[in-house]
Amino acid sequence: MPPFGTAGEPLSEFRGVRDRTVVIDTEHLTKRFGGQAAVEDLSLLVAAGEVFGFLGPNGAGKTTTVRMLAGLISKTSGSARIAGHEVGPEDSALEIRRIVGLLPENVGLYEALSPYQILDFFGQMYDCPDGPRRANIERLLRLFDLWELKDRPVATFSKGMKQKVALARALVHDPKLLFLDEPTANLDPEAAKTVRDCILALKKEGRTIFLTTHNLDEAQRICDRVAILRTRLLTVGAPDQLRASLSGHRTQVRLERTDDTLLHQVRERLSPRRVERSAEGFVVEVEDPDRENPEVVRAIVEAGGRVRSVTEVGPSFEDVYLKLVRG
Amino acid sequence: MRVAKAWIVAKKELAVLRKTKSVLYSVLAFPLFVAVGLPLVVMAAGGRGPGIPASVLPVLLDSFSFFFIIGTAALPVTIASYSLVGEKVERSLEPLLATPATDSEILLGKGLAAFLPPIVSTYAGSVVFMALMDKFTIAKLGYPYFPNPTIAIILIAIAPLACLLSVESGIVISSLVSDIRSAQQVGGLMILPFAAIYVASEIGLLPLTWLNLLAISGVLLVVDLLLYLVSRATFRRDDILTRWK
Ligand SMILES: Nc1ncnc2c1ncn2[C@@H]1O[C@H](COP(=O)(O)OP(=O)(O)OP(=O)(O)O)[C@@H](O)[C@H]1O
Ligand SMILES: [Mg+2]
């Protein structure tokens, strides 16, 4: 996906160039608790149908942002619109809550009630008419393998099962926009995959998904774009594009054998580049692999190394994340 | 404010209440105890020796009529704090607040769920109480003592006002404490003023005349209105998610 909605990019440009509906649009959104900023100066655009990853270390302000956008807590300053409705005033907050589905950080289920009772209650709160509501509840409970357990109190469920009930609850009214705050935390790999597949299926149906996660691999695999936050927005972009923008490529050279003398000589020849020993050879940090790799290989050969293979290793998404967050 | 929305919340609360055995049993047990227990006491006392003198009986019966109010004041605070502190413990308020309902609708729903069971059980209990006592008073006084203006004011004015006071207290208490046990302990204090009135009437300090009962109703009404404002200000979504402990 081409880059759009990068922080600081003028809105008009975004709207003009891409013919896509903006679903989330924040400008200088800020939330303070006491004097302390939890989220500061956040300007973001999320388009309809995107899976938008929202990453950042603990305490970065992800949950606070989700709560502001879902109309649960007030903002301190700045502005935000959800599907054109202004975040803040009570009547537009009702409109926003109608079209938004929320999976909060804590599942927050009524432990004494059964999944069916819980979904039925929330379906009614969202004004879903009886027939479609029942059909939708059955579809969701079957999707998450909970239909057989639909009448058991949720208190008897495992964490993962509860997470699925909570996700079903977020979907009960067929929301156009979903805020999922760490949907796969605490899930076993298979359940996490079910949730990820579900997210992709929801995307196929044209829904927009705002996804908070600490799982970088997950973000990279399912998000069209990601934002990295640490109170302030650090960056926004497609995961591949973020990786490409980061310098620090590495060339991995497998050798027949290595020793300290060879390492020393190669370091001298390739200085000031960083050269590290790896299990089967050396790893050399390069700026521009295409230009520098021949030189790297020649230096190793001239130092007496016998090259088996040369592989280029780009910066991982984790590298990007850590570099930005440690900033 | 849409009452239908509040009613959906109330029905959910009642479904949870049905599973909360300790609360459910007290809602059922208290009026039953009063309705059957008090007549038994009167009959037992009346049956022995000279029995209760006919001149004292009306005072005693009026005080007993007021006894219901102690339950009406104790039960709603328990239910309201269960339903609010319970949601705090389960962290279930966030998804609830994410639905298209206003704070007032959610609050009204919770209030109704705490108000209705105690008031219904008070009324049901009082009907049984009056029927049983009339059997006794017809024999002793020559006429059925109930219903009369005293119990009418107690049931029509004081009971709902005391019930409302208790619901509102439950809401305010719930915002201040984070476990059900503390909520129950603080809520237990609710019965003190009503127990005091009961005792005062029993020993002749505060006869339960119409005028006195109307005065008590008036005081309750004022306190209810004030506490309504406090509880309404307490239940604001911003505070619930960020300031409630
Ligand atoms: N009610 C509150 N009162 C005071 N400070 C708060 C409150 N809620 C959040 N904060 C602060 O705001 C900051 C952001 O918190 P938030 O929960 O949004 O982080 P997060 O990115 O979701 O973290 P995590 O990954 O741990 O879930 C933190 O420093 C937190 O201490
Ligand atoms: Mg969080």
Side-chain angles (χ1 to χ4, degrees), chain B residues 24-36:
Chain B
L24 182 65
Y25 292 153
S26 37
V27 170
L28 296 175
F30 185 84
L32 199 70
F33 162 73
V34 179
V36 181

Side-chain angles (χ1 to χ4, degrees), chain A residues 31 33 63 67 70-74 90 94 97-98 100 102 104-113 117 121-122 124-127 153 169, chain B residues 2 5 8-9 11-13 15-16 18-20 87 90-103 105-106 110 237-238 241-242:
Chain A
K31 177 71 184 183
F33 291 109
T63 299
R67 285 176 163 182
L72 291 170
I73 60 175
S74 61
E90 178 61 17
L94 281 182
R97 296 208 290 273
R98 220 181 289 285
V100 162
L102 170 70
E105 195 165 35
N106 305 295
V107 288
L109 297 168
Y110 302 114
E111 301 264 326
L113 300 185
Q117 284 177 305
F121 166 61
F122 277 89
Q124 291 178 52
M125 288 302 281
Y126 283 102
D127 302 309
R169 179 187 61 196
Chain B
R2 297 156 297 175
K5 246 308 102 98
I8 298 170
V9 176
K11 279 192 302 185
K12 188 275 292 177
E13 294 303 327
V16 174
R18 270 201 293 279
K19 310 267 173 155
T20 316
E87 294 230 29
E90 291 180 341
R91 295 167 178 272
S92 50
L93 280 166
E94 187 164 358
L96 180 58
L97 292 171
T99 65
T102 62
D103 297 357
E105 288 158 357
I106 293 173
K110 290 191 167 284
R237 58 184 56 227
D238 231 2
L241 290 177
T242 61

Side-chain angles (χ1 to χ4, degrees), chain A residues 80-139:
Chain A
R81 276 157 302 280
I82 300 291
H85 301 287
E86 195 69 32
V87 170
E90 178 61 17
D91 40 345
S92 74
L94 281 182
E95 280 311 310
I96 291 172
R97 296 208 290 273
R98 220 181 289 285
I99 53 174
V100 162
L102 170 70
L103 175 73
E105 195 165 35
N106 305 295
V107 288
L109 297 168
Y110 302 114
E111 301 264 326
L113 300 185
S114 70
Y116 197 94
Q117 284 177 305
I118 291 172
L119 296 189
D120 199 40
F121 166 61
F122 277 89
Q124 291 178 52
M125 288 302 281
Y126 283 102
D127 302 309
C128 310
D130 289 358
R133 185 177 75 241
R134 294 203 185 103
N136 205 24
I137 292 174
E138 176 166 353
R139 183 181 67 79

